[in-house]
Every structure is written in structure tokens, then in C-alpha cells.
Amino acid sequence: MSKLPTHQNNNPTWFWLALVPVLGGVAIAYAGQKIKHNNWIWVGLGCVISSFLLSSSEIILIIWLSQIGLAFYLKQNFFSLENPTKESFPGKNIKYSSGRNQEKIDINTCSKDDLVYGLGLPIVYANDIESVRHQGYIFTSVEELSEIAGLPQNYVKKIASLITFTYDLNQELEVSWRRLNAYSQHQLIECGLEQKAAHKIVEERDKNGSYQSVIDVQRRTGIPLSHYQHLI
């Protein structure tokens, strides 16, 4: 997708192009590519495809009007997502520095208010992080905020020095691969592991200590991931 210039006023160039019938969706997709937001890309391409398929129908007018409304809506968030600054975050007292003199926020245990007002994240991303946590996922690195929760890279970079990743192992045992570090051979068998695999996992763990990751389990035991994938 070729690069489009951006005006320095309140309306980026892609916004004006998004108002064009049929092909305007390409501009929306470009905006999504620029801020690394896949949903925008798919919506933009969807507008183009729908317009072509229904070009002979009166519905195309509805698609065009929807496209215009979408462009106005997305424009409101484009600049803050493209170039987030201290002013673009709702948290008034955030200091984007090394974070040495600031108490870090634990991404796994903090409240939604901490995510929104402490880190300055838009509510939509705070909701995504909270949703992933409620499903039992425990974040262990800043990269996972993007890979797992879909947080745009520009926000990840801004909050990287302000956050930490700790977790309560006992709280996590029932919902993750870390059961391999705590369950007995009998418990692992009850979870669906073959007896030979369960014995090897426990034997290696007792001999050389807890596993550090799923890959560590595979490397140390030689047991394929497929044998315990249902525990992850």
C-alpha cells in the first residue's frame, strides 16, 4: 500500500480520501496500517469490496454514507494513536522517563483505573487487557501486551518503563501450563496426560527444578507439545 502524506492540521489526508465513494475504504485501510491497527485495515477493505459487489444496487449509497461516518469516527483517534504524547494520555501525572523514581504498575494485578488513569491507556485497550486477564492469562513481558492483548506498539513503548509483571503462582496454577510445575504424576494423569509423559515431566522437574516456560518443558523432557497442549 503506497504511503499517503498527512496534513499538519486536524484532518489527515487519508480522511479526505476516505470520503470518496467506493475507493475511499482504501484510505481507511491505509490509516489502519499506519497505526498498526488491523481492525481498521479490514473494515476499510471491507468497504471497498462491498462497494464493488453492490455497485449496481441502491445499497451502495448506504455503504458510502456509512464509510463517511466511519471516517469521521476514526479520525478522532488517529492522531493520538499515531503519535501518542504525554498530552494525548488522560493520566495527568505520568512521567515518561526511565521510571526509576516512580512506583511501577503491575499489569497483572492493577485495576482498570490504573490502566486508564495511571498509564493513560484508552478505555478500549484497558478493557482488552482486563478481558485477557479474566480468561486466566498472565502477562510476563511487555511484548505480550501487543501480541496477546492487541495493544498498539506506540502505546507499548510509552508505558514500557512504567509497568512490571509479577504474578501469584498459586492463583495461576489452575489455568495454565504452570500446573506442570505443581501437579503430582497422578494429578497430571487425571488431567489427561499419558502415564509415561507424566512420569517424565515430574522426574525431570524434581531433578532439575521448575520449568521456566512451555518451551523449557519440551526441551528438557523431549515430550512433544501435543501431549500436554490441553493444559496450556
Side-chain angles (χ1 to χ4, degrees):
M1 213 174 279
S2 59
K3 185 175 182 180
L4 300 176
T6 302
H7 290 312
Q8 297 302 315
N9 55 27
N10 292 329
N11 295 316
T13 301
W14 69 261
F15 168 75
W16 297 112
L17 296 178
L19 306 183
V20 177
V22 183
L23 294 179
V26 175
I28 294 176
Y30 161 78
Q33 183 190 55
K34 191 171 179 63
I35 62 171
K36 297 181 175 59
H37 204 302
N38 290 335
N39 288 342
W40 290 31
I41 296 175
W42 289 116
V43 168
L45 294 179
C47 288
V48 176
I49 295 172
S50 298
S51 296
F52 273 113
L53 293 177
L54 301 172
S55 59
S56 61
S57 170
E58 294 181 356
I59 299 179
I60 191 173
L61 177 60
I62 298 177
I63 296 175
W64 180 39
L65 294 176
S66 299
Q67 178 180 301
I68 293 175
L70 181 63
F72 275 96
Y73 174 76
L74 297 179
K75 182 190 69 171
Q76 305 302 317
N77 296 318
F78 177 75
F79 284 120
S80 62
L81 291 173
E82 180 187 28
N83 296 303
T85 61
K86 181 178 179 180
E87 289 74 20
S88 68
F89 286 81
K92 295 181 179 180
N93 299 318
I94 298 176
K95 296 181 179 180
Y96 294 111
S97 59
S98 63
R100 293 177 181 175
N101 299 320
Q102 181 175 351
E103 183 177 353
K104 293 189 176 184
I105 292 177
D106 187 343
I107 212 71
N108 288 314
T109 60
C110 66
S111 67
K112 185 180 294 187
D113 282 347
D114 289 331
L115 294 172
V116 175
Y117 299 108
L119 295 176
L121 294 178
I123 186 67
V124 63
Y125 297 132
N127 286 339
D128 288 341
I129 291 174
E130 189 174 59
S131 175
V132 171
R133 294 190 315 191
H134 283 169
Q135 295 178 59
Y137 192 83
I138 305 296
F139 293 100
T140 59
S141 70
V142 68
E143 291 79 12
E144 290 182 352
L145 291 175
S146 176
E147 297 171 357
I148 304 299
L151 197 66
Q153 286 295 328
N154 45 17
Y155 278 103
V156 172
K157 291 178 182 178
K158 286 295 182 181
I159 69 173
S161 63
L162 306 175
I163 58 179
T164 186
F165 302 88
T166 59
Y167 55 82
D168 182 350
L169 180 59
N170 292 325
Q171 182 180 12
E172 189 193 2
L173 286 178
E174 298 301 322
V175 294
S176 84
W177 69 270
R178 294 182 188 279
R179 285 175 284 183
L180 300 177
N181 277 330
Y183 279 18
S184 66
Q185 179 176 327
H186 178 68
Q187 287 175 309
L188 291 176
I189 293 174
E190 287 187 334
C191 286
L193 267 71
E194 296 178 359
Q195 181 175 354
K196 184 178 180 180
H199 175 75
K200 179 64 177 178
I201 288 173
V202 173
E203 181 183 48
E204 170 61 25
R205 184 185 72 199
D206 291 343
K207 182 179 180 180
N208 295 310
S210 298
Y211 300 106
Q212 301 303 308
S213 66
V214 174
I215 293 298
D216 191 37
V217 176
Q218 184 174 342
R219 288 173 178 169
R220 288 167 54 181
T221 64
I223 301 173
L225 175 62
S226 58
H227 282 62
Y228 47 88
Q229 188 171 6
H230 59 286
L231 291 177
I232 299 176

